[in-house]
Amino acid sequence: MDEGDDVRTASRDLLAGHGVADFDAFIKAPILLSEAKAKTDELYPSKDMKRITAGVHRLLEEFFGNSPISILTKEKQKEFLGWASRLPRTQGRSHGRNRYGQAGKTVTKAEEISKADAEDLLCLEEIRSIEGISDAEKRALLADRLVPRVTINTLRKYLHGKPPAAAV
């Protein structure tokens, strides 16, 4: 295109390499997160890959909704990763369902983050009100009592299926 070629001609090989036959249909509608997940599942049908894409899609969909993938700018990715890093370490376990068929409840990740943040705030206020101990002792108490959050390695595992060998 930089050399004056028609965009249809210039992109034909690229689109064909990705299984896109109709240029006009490709440029009309934005690709939504759900469509990207479906296409990924179609191209990579292994059970492990579907598990990974399902986990990532649940987080992305809760944070962004079923938005066009074009909104996933570097800044939006940073916002998303900042949000995901606030997930409690025990996230996903407060649904109340078990193998005995209890119906349980649906708990969103945002609700889990809010609950953990509220517990942390109460803990912080309680420790601030303690008199007669040093700031270092208060920090130590705070470190022991705050709700544990996911670590970067846990987040990598959740988003990529397993952490890189160097992170283990």
Side-chain angles (χ1 to χ4, degrees), residues 7-24 26 39 42-43:
V7 70
R8 283 178 168 72
T9 307
S11 63
R12 185 175 297 137
D13 292 338
L14 179 64
L15 293 176
H18 289 284
V20 178
D22 186 4
F23 177 83
D24 292 322
F26 177 74
K39 187 66 174 181
E42 178 187 321
L43 293 174

Side-chain angles (χ1 to χ4, degrees), residues 30 37 156 164-165:
K37 180 194 178 297
R156 266 192 207 119

Side-chain angles (χ1 to χ4, degrees), residues 54-70:
V56 172
H57 183 259
R58 277 191 302 272
L59 285 176
L60 288 171
E61 189 172 52
E62 183 168 337
F63 190 76
F64 293 111
N66 191 21
S67 302
I69 59 172
S70 59

